[in-house]
Amino acid sequence: QKEVEQNSGPLSVPEGAIASLNCTYSDRGSQSFFWYRQYSGKSPELIMSIYSNGDKEDGRFTAQLNKASQYVSLLIRDSQPSDSATYLCAVSNAGNNRKLIWGLGTSLAVNP
Amino acid sequence: GEEVAQTPKHLVRGEGQKAKLYCAPIKGHSYVFWYQQVLKNEFKFLISFQNENVFDETGMPKERFSAKCLPNSPCSLEIQATKLEDSAVYFCASSKSLQGRVTDTQYFGPGTRLTVL
């Protein structure tokens, strides 16, 4: 079992819809959770960070964390074609010297 | 600077040759991380530094890989005697600090694409 798991997709949604991306992790000591967006051939770009259970909203993006279920999700409201990219979930904790442990990413396609 | 800078953008080496990659972290950031991204998006942690000191090197293939962060110089990642499987994009990231239990955001450079022929 990988330490951080994501559905590879592709996840295809129509423009204007809500895209829901999920991530599970195996290390119960994980304390910091990140969603990065990566366009093909580019570097990862931070979308959201979340550290506490519950929801965190930033514009069209909402991250949800449930430590008991070891689950973190990202919702993208009013999806745009420019949101089409790979979304990477990354997890970290102080016990492993803060290195990011990555999922393999979910490919999102937003269709006009 | 305001962004993590990495050079070169692309590097092509024949198997067995040496490769050296450079990274300049964001000004004021104390921590530098190196990651390797191979096919299928798989990111692998290699090494991290706190200023010029190695912070965590648990991901480094020590036989052929080495890295340094010296004062007033870009950080470097060097691969001696490259192998075909070293072909990947190498990303450098920097973060301001590691405070308490929370991991500060890591900001990524544009990456160096290494192709070993």
Side-chain angles (χ1 to χ4, degrees):
Chain A
Q1 181 195 8
K2 281 191 67 68
E3 292 179 78
V4 178
E5 300 220 42
Q6 298 180 250
N7 288 328
S8 60
L11 173 65
S12 185
V13 300
E15 185 174 354
I18 295 175
S20 177
L21 303 159
N22 304 315
C23 172
T24 58
Y25 59 93
S26 60
D27 184 354
R28 282 201 170 272
S30 299
Q31 296 153 333
S32 306
F33 306 86
F34 304 89
W35 282 100
Y36 283 85
R37 177 175 64 196
Q38 187 177 30
Y39 294 110
S40 182
K42 300 293 185 184
S43 60
E45 172 195 7
L46 181 73
I47 297 296
M48 293 283 280
S49 59
I50 188 166
Y51 306 103
S52 305
N53 277 329
D55 294 359
K56 180 180 176 184
E57 188 174 316
D58 183 1
R60 296 187 296 112
F61 299 96
T62 299
Q64 298 173 317
L65 175 61
N66 183 327
K67 289 186 180 180
S69 300
Q70 295 174 245
Y71 173 92
V72 58
S73 66
L74 180 70
L75 299 177
I76 307 174
R77 287 181 298 282
D78 188 23
S79 295
Q80 301 297 309
S82 58
D83 294 327
S84 299
T86 296
Y87 288 80
L88 296 154
C89 173
V91 169
S92 177
N93 75 61
N96 72 358
N97 287 329
R98 322 302 179 108
K99 58 178 171 275
L100 296 177
I101 308 298
W102 299 81
L104 292 180
T106 298
S107 174
L108 173 66
V110 180
N111 305 308
Chain B
E2 295 295 320
E3 295 181 336
V4 177
Q6 287 189 251
T7 54
K9 272 191 172 178
H10 302 281
L11 194 55
V12 180
R13 289 289 179 265
E15 209 172 2
Q17 291 185 316
K18 185 171 74 174
K20 196 164 185 178
L21 293 62
Y22 297 92
C23 167
I26 293 171
K27 195 175 178 182
H29 283 196
S30 303
Y31 292 85
V32 169
F33 298 78
W34 285 97
Y35 295 91
Q36 177 195 56
Q37 186 179 30
V38 294
L39 291 176
K40 296 285 187 183
N41 298 323
E42 184 160 6
F43 273 86
K44 180 189 170 192
F45 166 79
L46 295 175
I47 191 168
S48 59
F49 287 84
Q50 179 184 9
N51 296 312
E52 62 266 26
N53 303 307
V54 174
F55 188 67
D56 181 351
E57 57 182 348
T58 53
M60 284 285 269
K62 289 189 183 169
E63 307 84 44
R64 298 182 297 109
F65 284 60
S66 62
K68 292 179 192 173
C69 278
L70 299 175
N72 303 312
S73 295
C75 297
S76 63
L77 176 69
E78 189 167 347
I79 309 172
Q80 302 283 345
T82 52
K83 295 185 177 181
L84 295 176
E85 63 257 32
D86 298 332
S87 294
V89 181
Y90 291 82
F91 287 104
C92 171
S94 71
S95 69
K96 203 168 187 178
S97 63
L98 300 179
Q99 303 179 53
R101 298 169 61 230
V102 164
T103 294
D104 203 0
T105 297
Q106 294 178 24
Y107 296 91
F108 283 76
T112 293
R113 180 174 295 277
L114 172 65
T115 302
V116 181
L117 303 174

